[in-house]
Amino acid sequence: MIKINENYKKLQASYLFSDIAKRVSSFQEANPDKDIIRLGIGDVTRALPEACVKAFHAAVDEMAADATFHGYGPEQGYDFLRQAIAEGDYQSRGCNIATDEVFVSDGAKCDSGNFQEIFADDVRVAIPDPVYPVYVDTNVMAGRTGAAENGRYTGLTYLDGTKANGFIPALPTEPVDLIYLCFPNNPTGATATKAQLKQWVDYAKQNKALILFDAAYEAFVQDPDLPRSIFEIEGAREVAVEFRSFSKNAGFTGTRCAYTVVPKDCTAYTEAGEPVSIHELWNRRHTTKFNSVSYPVQKAAAAVYTAEGQAQVAELVAYYMKNAKYIREQIENLGYDCIGGENSPYIWIDAKGDSWDFFDTLLNNAGVVCTPGAGFGKCGEGYIRISAFNSFENVQQAMERVKASL
Amino acid sequence: MIKINENYKKLQASYLFSDIAKRVSSFQEANPDKDIIRLGIGDVTRALPEACVKAFHAAVDEMAADATFHGYGPEQGYDFLRQAIAEGDYQSRGCNIATDEVFVSDGAKCDSGNFQEIFADDVRVAIPDPVYPVYVDTNVMAGRTGAAENGRYTGLTYLDGTKANGFIPALPTEPVDLIYLCFPNNPTGATATKAQLKQWVDYAKQNKALILFDAAYEAFVQDPDLPRSIFEIEGAREVAVEFRSFSKNAGFTGTRCAYTVVPKDCTAYTEAGEPVSIHELWNRRHTTKFNSVSYPVQKAAAAVYTAEGQAQVAELVAYYMKNAKYIREQIENLGYDCIGGENSPYIWIDAKGDSWDFFDTLLNNAGVVCTPGAGFGKCGEGYIRISAFNSFENVQQAMERVKASL
């Protein structure tokens, strides 16, 4: 008899986005003449940078002739892209990361979901709350939790983000082995300082723990004193892995390219305490279960690192950050407390009450869609997230309507 | 302390392709003026079909303008592609497969490696030998085996393919729950008849087992009486999942697009024996850990199903099959027993001795690279695989040289 992975039965059905969709479509049916402005999901809206489009087309042309055709590439990604990443995102910023420490992939979602596979079933996992739900769900599937009780899985260590700590969680008080961190944070937009990250790196070194650092939103950091990579912190090469993506900076959400940096100094341990290279473990996993990213997509991603590409990505980021700043100002002027929007495309708003009530008010009175914070964990209750990914015109109109309706 | 998944320690290092690479480079160093013809790995060599190139470019152009830009798509793939697959590959051939039973992915390697995750750790697994190594390795990583002994993992049921059974394994004599089958087979090129597949479907129904059917090479089936899908077999909707790919028919090895068909009638069971929909389980896994395939790549894949695309894919397949027929004839004329090459791009040759000795003879005397069968499992020892994926001119020259050297 073919038996299921019983851990899947523990998964709480995520009604968040289907609930949102239902409420939006009910509103549209009742108000067919009203147009809706979507500031809910974190999906970019502007075209790919011209440099990427040019490189994309050129690579498709290579695939169109036998003499320049590319079949299977290296599973870890082509060196032209791995090297551009190592130099452009790390070495140029003083981080000691080598080309062969970069693993190209089709998404930070996949990597952040898959990375836990190479560790033991009984490692103790710490996950921030509120946060991107993939970290929790993939550990539930792997059997590292008990059942859910009051919206939280037993066996997980939740790292609470609250107004009191500025949504920068404190170190855990119980021992943990695998720590997920995400800065700039999704959904709160909170960003950790170097001193704050240093505490985590030190904790990991003292406890032989590993940090999985999700830096998918690093491009939106404006403050030059804030770290954009965990590898700006001394000692991180021994205890941290970093996930990055072209989704948000270069608009690759529908084009699909990302990467994970696994330093060769990162160590895990056998049951008997012998050190094992995490780089080697991940390389084995990656080459066995993955076959790299489309060649034309890798060429398009590499164009991000040309002078033209860098200028175009900077322009895209600046565009969305103008939206973010505007949203935060307008919402604060209405008397609501916000964080985020300064070094992040997300604005996290204290709803002064129930997440879903505030969602309904914005939808029904202003025709604006946001995301209720409760969907990101227990600590997200009472908050909503507004995304800056839309046109400035739509953002302006949305804020006018919100002002008139609150 | 961050502990590793101890199952990774059981994995046998695969020296096959690195051994091949080492021997090839030694030969090249010793013979710098000799050119080598590679008929080893199963990678296509000819350009993408024109219809795919055209659609690929058009979709990149859509990504270049805000008004037509595509961000995140549905995790299961766009309906335009899922529907083209369901109609073009199944409904048109009398198989009852619906659009929402098709899950688009970035590779059959990934899907065939990941699918086991949704089942219990203690399901009993049956895997053919010789076969594509990913099925075995991913089950080792998941902890479904003991250590390796004499080249085989304890706890797995190996389904022996031998000259006596024409490399079509017999049903297992011990009970199993999860069965991997691959026809046309990689590496042997053997192809199962409908009657043979019917036995497996009946076995699965009687034993509440599930068949994972890898049909990555179905496009090469020439005999109209041979099945190209497990879903041509009555009852398969209840007990089978099928992996397919655009890699070999349309030359997508470097472009990356594949799909998995999971019928809604497929059932697995809880520990307590309650039925659970495998379609729902896989949907949960797929949407949690994957974010779909690049939009331009999906558009390129959909072009395979246009009239122009179908004609171009047929031409590509015919080209490689002309090579396959030629290779088999030439090798048989030299007095070697072969299977494959008739409904498959692979020719599996009885080396009349050690795989590696034969490999060395072909490399050193003819400058031709093949793949030693031992790399595909214990039953592959004594055989070599020759691939038809190259230009006809290279294949002709390779066979002339082989003739002169044996």
Side-chain angles (χ1 to χ4, degrees):
Chain A
M1 187 173 81
I2 178 79
K3 287 185 300 179
I4 67 163
N5 174 344
E6 295 267 332
N7 297 309
Y8 275 63
K9 287 166 61 185
K10 299 174 196 160
L11 287 166
Q12 302 298 291
S14 171
Y15 295 119
L16 177 70
F17 288 101
S18 61
D19 265 11
I20 293 176
K22 268 182 218 158
R23 292 182 196 216
V24 171
S25 70
S26 302
F27 174 78
Q28 258 177 332
E29 272 169 43
N31 303 277
D33 53 327
K34 289 208 181 143
D35 78 311
I36 286 173
I37 301 175
R38 291 165 198 275
L39 303 175
I41 59 168
D43 194 5
V44 297
T45 57
R46 290 190 60 202
L48 291 183
E50 271 179 49
C52 300
V53 169
K54 213 170 104 186
F56 211 156
H57 276 306
V60 171
D61 281 335
E62 286 185 70
M63 302 298 267
D66 294 355
T68 52
F69 177 78
H70 283 73
Y72 291 122
E75 281 116 340
Q76 300 90 342
Y78 280 99
D79 267 355
F80 66 76
L81 179 55
R82 301 174 83 191
Q83 194 179 340
I85 291 167
E87 289 177 4
D89 286 340
Y90 294 99
Q91 293 160 16
S92 67
R93 302 179 63 85
C95 299
N96 171 24
I97 294 296
T99 297
D100 64 355
E101 294 176 328
V102 176
F103 292 81
V104 175
S105 82
D106 62 327
K109 176 181 180 179
C110 317
D111 287 346
S112 62
N114 291 331
F115 213 87
Q116 47 75 30
E117 278 182 35
I118 61 174
F119 303 113
D121 284 348
D122 62 351
V123 295
R124 296 161 298 186
V125 180
I127 299 184
D129 177 356
V131 89
Y132 185 48
V134 167
Y135 315 150
V136 172
D137 288 354
T138 53
N139 276 289
V140 174
M141 289 170 169
R144 293 199 185 86
T145 73
E149 286 172 16
N150 300 319
R152 286 190 158 182
Y153 293 95
T154 55
L156 275 188
T157 296
Y158 288 90
L159 305 169
D160 287 354
T162 62
K163 193 176 265 190
N165 62 25
F167 291 92
I168 309 287
L171 295 174
T173 51
E174 57 201 23
V176 299
D177 309 307
L178 186 63
I179 301 157
Y180 290 78
L181 293 178
C182 174
F183 294 113
N185 186 261
N186 176 13
T188 70
T191 310
T193 63
K194 284 182 190 169
Q196 286 164 332
L197 288 189
K198 182 73 167 66
Q199 289 189 309
W200 286 98
V201 168
D202 290 345
Y203 174 92
K205 287 179 85 164
Q206 280 152 21
N207 293 276
K208 293 189 174 176
L210 182 77
I211 297 168
L212 298 181
F213 191 77
D214 186 344
Y217 294 93
E218 58 78 32
F220 298 91
V221 171
Q222 308 291 301
D223 182 341
D225 290 334
L226 288 173
R228 292 171 67 159
S229 165
I230 188 85
F231 300 118
E232 293 180 39
I233 312 304
E234 205 195 315
R237 275 186 59 85
E238 295 159 48
V239 292
V241 161
E242 181 163 290
F243 304 117
R244 288 226 190 160
S245 169
F246 295 98
S247 285
K248 310 296 161 112
N249 62 342
F252 271 49
T253 53
T255 300
R256 313 301 313 140
C257 197
Y259 60 92
T260 291
V261 176
V262 188
K264 289 193 191 142
D265 301 346
C266 269
T267 305
Y269 301 88
T270 65
E271 197 70 53
E274 295 150 7
V276 177
S277 158
I278 291 177
H279 184 277
E280 278 174 32
L281 279 178
W282 181 246
N283 190 57
R284 185 71 200 235
R285 194 274 171 206
H286 195 75
T287 55
T288 302
K289 296 193 181 180
F290 186 61
N291 228 333
S292 197
V293 171
S294 187
Y295 171 74
V297 171
Q298 291 192 57
K299 277 286 186 181
V304 164
Y305 299 94
T306 61
E308 197 192 350
Q310 288 287 293
Q312 291 162 0
V313 164
E315 193 275 323
L316 273 179
V317 167
Y319 184 93
Y320 291 129
M321 286 309 292
K322 180 182 162 196
N323 290 351
K325 187 163 180 274
Y326 183 81
I327 293 166
R328 177 155 175 174
E329 278 170 8
Q330 299 298 309
I331 299 286
E332 283 185 331
N333 286 345
L334 292 170
Y336 289 87
D337 280 351
C338 298
I339 72 156
E342 291 171 327
N343 295 287
S344 147
Y346 295 131
I347 298 93
W348 184 246
I349 302 165
D350 184 341
K352 303 182 190 175
D354 184 77
S355 287
W356 279 107
D357 286 349
F358 200 79
F359 172 91
D360 285 335
T361 302
L362 291 192
L363 176 62
N364 297 324
N365 300 354
V368 171
V369 181
C370 66
T371 307
F376 299 100
K378 214 167 174 175
C379 293
E381 279 167 21
Y383 293 84
I384 61 144
R385 184 189 80 176
I386 289 190
S387 151
F389 293 123
N390 211 314
S391 70
F392 184 62
E393 294 69 34
N394 281 346
V395 163
Q396 268 186 313
Q397 207 191 333
M399 290 303 114
E400 290 306 314
R401 292 201 217 155
V402 168
K403 237 184 282 183
S405 69
L406 282 179
Chain B
M1 187 174 80
I2 179 79
K3 288 184 300 180
I4 69 163
N5 175 343
E6 296 267 332
N7 297 308
Y8 275 63
K9 286 166 60 185
K10 299 175 197 160
L11 286 166
Q12 301 298 292
S14 172
Y15 296 118
L16 178 70
F17 287 101
S18 61
D19 266 11
I20 293 176
K22 268 182 220 158
R23 292 182 195 218
V24 171
S25 69
S26 304
F27 175 79
Q28 259 178 329
E29 272 170 42
N31 303 276
D33 54 327
K34 289 210 179 139
D35 77 311
I36 286 173
I37 301 175
R38 290 165 199 274
L39 303 175
I41 60 168
D43 194 4
V44 296
T45 57
R46 291 191 58 202
L48 291 184
E50 272 179 48
C52 299
V53 170
K54 213 170 106 188
F56 211 156
H57 276 306
V60 172
D61 281 334
E62 286 186 69
M63 302 298 268
D66 293 357
T68 52
F69 177 77
H70 282 74
Y72 290 122
E75 281 116 340
Q76 301 88 345
Y78 279 99
D79 267 354
F80 66 76
L81 179 55
R82 301 173 84 192
Q83 195 179 339
I85 291 166
E87 289 176 6
D89 285 341
Y90 294 99
Q91 292 160 18
S92 66
R93 302 179 62 85
C95 299
N96 171 25
I97 295 295
T99 296
D100 64 356
E101 294 176 329
V102 177
F103 292 81
V104 175
S105 83
D106 62 328
K109 176 181 181 179
C110 318
D111 287 347
S112 62
N114 291 330
F115 212 89
Q116 48 75 29
E117 279 183 33
I118 61 174
F119 302 114
D121 285 349
D122 62 352
V123 294
R124 296 161 298 186
V125 180
I127 299 185
D129 177 353
V131 89
Y132 185 49
V134 168
Y135 314 151
V136 172
D137 288 353
T138 53
N139 277 289
V140 174
M141 289 170 169
R144 293 199 185 87
T145 73
E149 287 171 15
N150 302 317
R152 285 191 157 182
Y153 293 96
T154 56
L156 275 188
T157 296
Y158 288 90
L159 304 168
D160 287 354
T162 62
K163 193 176 265 191
N165 62 25
F167 290 91
I168 309 288
L171 295 175
T173 51
E174 57 201 25
V176 298
D177 307 308
L178 186 63
I179 301 156
Y180 291 77
L181 293 177
C182 175
F183 293 113
N185 186 261
N186 176 13
T188 70
T191 312
T193 63
K194 285 182 189 169
Q196 286 165 331
L197 288 188
K198 181 74 166 63
Q199 289 188 310
W200 286 98
V201 168
D202 290 344
Y203 174 92
K205 288 178 84 164
Q206 279 152 22
N207 295 276
K208 294 188 173 177
L210 182 76
I211 297 167
L212 298 181
F213 191 78
D214 186 343
Y217 295 92
E218 59 78 31
F220 298 90
V221 171
Q222 307 291 301
D223 182 341
D225 290 334
L226 288 173
R228 293 171 65 160
S229 165
I230 188 88
F231 300 118
E232 293 180 38
I233 312 304
E234 204 195 315
R237 276 185 59 85
E238 295 159 46
V239 292
V241 161
E242 182 163 290
F243 305 117
R244 288 227 190 159
S245 169
F246 295 98
S247 284
K248 310 296 161 110
N249 61 342
F252 271 49
T253 52
T255 301
R256 313 302 312 142
C257 197
Y259 59 94
T260 292
V261 176
V262 189
K264 290 194 191 141
D265 300 346
C266 270
T267 305
Y269 301 87
T270 64
E271 198 70 54
E274 295 152 6
V276 177
S277 158
I278 290 177
H279 184 279
E280 279 174 30
L281 280 179
W282 181 246
N283 190 58
R284 185 70 199 236
R285 194 273 170 207
H286 195 75
T287 55
T288 302
K289 296 193 182 179
F290 186 62
N291 228 333
S292 199
V293 170
S294 186
Y295 171 75
V297 171
Q298 290 192 58
K299 277 286 187 181
V304 164
Y305 298 95
T306 60
E308 198 191 349
Q310 288 288 291
Q312 291 162 1
V313 163
E315 193 275 323
L316 273 178
V317 168
Y319 184 92
Y320 292 128
M321 286 309 292
K322 180 184 163 194
N323 291 352
K325 187 164 179 273
Y326 182 81
I327 294 167
R328 177 156 175 174
E329 279 170 7
Q330 299 298 310
I331 299 287
E332 283 185 331
N333 285 346
L334 293 170
Y336 289 87
D337 280 352
C338 299
I339 71 155
E342 291 172 326
N343 296 287
S344 147
Y346 295 131
I347 299 91
W348 184 246
I349 302 165
D350 183 341
K352 302 183 192 175
D354 184 77
S355 289
W356 279 107
D357 287 348
F358 200 78
F359 172 90
D360 285 335
T361 302
L362 291 193
L363 176 62
N364 297 324
N365 300 354
V368 170
V369 181
C370 67
T371 307
F376 300 99
K378 213 167 176 174
C379 292
E381 279 167 18
Y383 292 84
I384 60 142
R385 185 189 79 175
I386 289 190
S387 151
F389 293 123
N390 211 314
S391 69
F392 185 61
E393 293 69 34
N394 281 346
V395 164
Q396 268 185 312
Q397 208 191 331
M399 289 304 113
E400 290 307 313
R401 293 201 216 153
V402 168
K403 238 184 280 183
S405 69
L406 281 180

